[in-house]
Amino acid sequence: MMRDAEAGRLLGIGLLAVAAALICCGALDAALAQGNPFGAGPGPARAAGPDGIIGWIMTKQSEFYRGLSGMIRAAKSDGTAVFGLLGLSFAYGIFHAAGPGHGKAVISSYLVANEETWRRGVVLSFASALLQALVAVAIVGIAAVALGATAKMMGDTVRVIETASYLLIVAVGLRLLWVKGRGFLNALQAVTAQPALVPAGPAAMLGAHHDHDHDHDHDHHGAHEGHHHHDEACDHAGHSHGPEPEELAGAGGWQRGLSAIVAVGLRPCSGAILVLVFAFAQGLFWAGVASTFVMGLGTAITVAAIATLAVGARSLAERLAHRRSGYGTLALRGIEVAAAVLVVAFGALLLTGYMVSERMFAV
Amino acid sequence: MIGRFARPLCLAFAVLALSVAAAAAHPHVWVTMKSELVYAPDGKVTGVRHAWTFDEMFSTFATQGLETKQKGVFTREDLKPLAEVNVTSLKEYDYFTKAKANSKKVEFKDPVDYWLEFTDGALTLHFFLPLETPVKAHTLAVEIYDPTWFVDFTFADKDAVTLAGAPAQCKLDVARPADAPAQGQQLGESFFSSLGANSDYGAQFANRIAVKCQ
């Protein structure tokens, strides 16, 4: 009874999983085989559940989420329950983002591919979470509160927005791939060109090479400070036609950062919409709005933490790669290309429905 | 040399891929259900009659903006279009219901006799899911769950499963996820094997019905 769509989705997910496993040199097994570090079983709400960290996170976010409706109802008669609602929303936001979701994956891949600093990663995370909250409030505010729209109309609206968001992710990824693909080819050129050059004038070339390395060090310090830096592949290849450094980071990069924010933040989370509609029905729309923004704050903190981790891993790799300019650079560029491919893949899988981010159920 | 600096990145990629792989695995909708297995006079199973009660938040969402003759009161008539949409949408998910008769998979037809009722702030969807062909089942196994765990299904506390018109010798056994034998697997293994094999991540939350008629 396996349907085509389902088969396709499985294939997509399977491929992703296989890709992850291959890339990961077994790190994944080590990371996941530890079971539940917290010792505690899933909470009373669910006696059974998946094991491990993810299972614990999923159980917690379910508990928090289920508590929201009760808190909103309590807030009707008891104003202080609003604080409980906000606390629960914050916790839900943190756990929700720690669980599955495409937002942080896209942001992290984007940051890794785009040589961004952790500061920009944090800003991107917060901005996209804020946008996500705004979109949810706007949809419910306009559709349900002002127009009296039905759940089906809201669901349809979300689906349109969702498609736009996924298309944007693909576009952002393709652009990265274009830029990073050229960087990779340049690095490849540099690596293959070097040996041929050496016999031509060994002494002179060694001297020149030394200078190059020196430049890289300098440039890299610049990069870690958050300034622009030169693509070392370009230097190696002499006069390259690769991307200008200003294209990759720095002031101009904010425009592309914006496209990433929109791509990720455009799609509101189903949970926020349900909470908003429920709050509205209870005559406490503002409580729903407050809850949504606090949820966004929690989400942003988690996404920022994960993004920082990704950026940190990248700059560590960069530092190590730097000691071996030729192949190290090539590998680094390869990783950037892989991250860009991941962004495109996320977008494409989401767009074609092989990967479901969150669905609006049966309405 | 590549391995040394690739390792931290591997971990980052692992986190990414993992987070996306189970993209929908967090319930947003809770369903409390009652199910009735229906038998024909000749002892053949004809189908399953479900009554699914949605949680308060989803019920509110689903009824948002619906026009009613009396404010806040939703009659079966008012909810008819919504029931239609529900049943149509559920087809894509095979009604979250899988069945095996005599250890062989059996197929369901489109639901009949479906309607929605709204009581105490909660929507309940009633529908009868007929078997493609009624079958004489010595053993019948029915599983209800959402593979992606967007919807959390739980049997009602009382009278969750009943047999209607079943031969006298039939014995009913109901297993909730909590009753299932301890899973024991590590997440790393179960997670990926479940995603790889059939993406039945939600299967560990499956509600199982077994009927033996010897």
Side-chain angles (χ1 to χ4, degrees), chain A residues 1 3 10 23-25 46 50-51 58 61 65 73 92 100-101 109 149-151 342 355-359 362, chain B residues 10 13 16 19-20 22-23 25-26 28 30 56 61 64 86 92-94 107 146 148 150 152 185 199 201 205:
Chain A
M1 202 152 63
R3 299 169 302 257
L10 298 184
I23 297 170
C24 287
C25 354
R46 279 220 74 88
D51 298 329
M58 283 177 4
Q61 67 179 357
Y65 181 70
R73 218 178 321 99
Y92 173 69
S109 306
T150 59
L342 265 184
M355 197 160 77
V356 184
S357 179
E358 270 186 345
R359 61 176 186 251
Chain B
C10 286
F13 272 109
L16 301 188
S19 56
V20 175
H26 146 51
H28 286 75
W30 279 263
E56 191 181 21
F61 174 73
Q64 155 64 32
N86 282 169
E92 192 190 328
Y93 307 102
D94 290 330
E107 306 286 338
D146 176 3
T148 61
F150 183 85
D152 179 294
Q185 326 103 307
S199 189
Y201 186 67
F205 308 110

Side-chain angles (χ1 to χ4, degrees), chain A residues 272-305:
Chain A
I273 290 192
L274 285 167
V275 167
L276 281 163
V277 171
F278 185 73
F280 168 59
Q282 302 291 317
L284 286 173
F285 186 58
W286 63 270
V289 173
S291 163
T292 303
F293 280 104
V294 174
M295 235 185 250
L297 183 67
T299 305
I301 289 173
T302 306
V303 174

Side-chain angles (χ1 to χ4, degrees), chain A residues 15 31 33 44 48 84 90 101 117 155 179 204 209 261 282 287 291 309:
Chain A
L15 281 178
F90 183 69
T117 59
V179 173
H209 198 179
I261 291 168
Q282 302 291 317
S291 163
L309 193 79

